[in-house]
Amino acid sequence: MEAPFAPKKGMPDLSVEELAARLQPGQRLLGFDLGDKTIGLALSDVECRIATAMRTLARRKFSDNAAEIFAIVDQQGVGGLVFGLPLNMDGSSGPRVQATRTFARNLRNLRDLPILFWDERLSTVAAERTLLEADLSRQKRAARIDAAAAQFILQGTLDRMRDIRNKKTSGEPEA
């Protein structure tokens, strides 16, 4: 396990560009859809191009969930974390945003991993639609929805990273 570190208070959120710059070749990203009862996880490939729904963890004591998450980080060569930020439809923050930021901050206090927050508005709706189109039963959808939402969150980040890479190689100015 890497040495713990204490981040600076009020550490600014990373941008997608900053997250991409901190990743070493071959490192993956781990995406999160944090719920009250479960944590949906998705994992990128080593080229950070494709997100795959991984699994859903039951929410337990933070230390237990952190141990499970860091075991995945170590086993899969994860170099950064992407958390869906559950903003309200008008873009404002509510209690769930604060809970997500607190969970991420507590993880960051245990391990120096870059963390990106990604606007997750409608990710669960998109995941539900995809699972409905796959004709899964209500029970199977319920078991997979959080991991599928994490996949949508992570894929949005990976697509943005790809767009940035493409603009750099084509010489286009970044937006």
Side-chain angles (χ1 to χ4, degrees):
M1 185 180 257
E2 293 179 19
F5 88 114
K8 295 176 187 164
K9 209 170 187 132
M11 184 181 245
D13 290 347
L14 287 178
S15 67
V16 174
E17 296 85 355
E18 292 166 327
L19 174 64
R22 290 197 53 189
L23 288 177
Q24 299 298 313
Q27 286 186 321
R28 300 171 184 251
L29 291 174
L30 186 62
F32 292 81
D33 180 50
L34 210 59
D36 293 330
K37 297 180 182 179
T38 60
I39 303 168
L41 299 175
L43 188 65
S44 77
D45 63 326
V46 295
E47 294 178 346
C48 289
R49 295 183 189 280
I50 300 170
T52 303
M54 187 178 191
R55 61 187 284 201
T56 301
L57 302 177
R59 288 290 294 261
R60 298 194 311 266
K61 285 186 356 187
F62 175 78
S63 58
D64 292 340
N65 285 141
E68 288 178 283
I69 291 164
F70 289 134
I72 293 167
V73 165
D74 293 338
Q75 291 166 357
Q76 298 295 333
V78 171
L81 309 178
V82 178
F83 280 86
L85 201 58
L87 297 169
N88 295 322
M89 289 307 290
D90 65 1
S92 64
S93 296
R96 290 189 58 229
V97 168
Q98 184 57 42
T100 299
R101 288 187 178 279
T102 298
F103 187 93
R105 183 189 66 233
N106 290 340
L107 283 179
R108 189 168 34 210
N109 285 337
L110 297 174
R111 176 103 45 109
D112 184 11
L113 281 170
I115 293 175
L116 174 75
F117 293 101
W118 188 261
D119 183 347
E120 74 160 47
R121 284 178 281 186
L122 301 179
S123 63
T124 301
V125 173
E128 179 80 20
R129 185 176 301 130
T130 300
L131 295 175
L132 278 169
E133 289 170 3
D135 202 26
L136 293 178
S137 69
R138 182 182 304 269
Q139 185 176 2
K140 287 182 180 179
R141 284 195 316 269
R144 297 181 186 171
I145 190 70
D146 294 320
Q151 179 183 0
F152 272 88
I153 292 162
L154 183 55
Q155 190 63 55
T157 302
L158 299 175
D159 291 346
R160 179 69 181 125
M161 288 172 68
R162 183 197 62 234
D163 292 346
I164 291 166
R165 281 191 305 267
N166 289 344
K167 285 181 182 177
K168 285 183 180 179
T169 59
S170 71
E172 286 182 50
E174 290 184 38

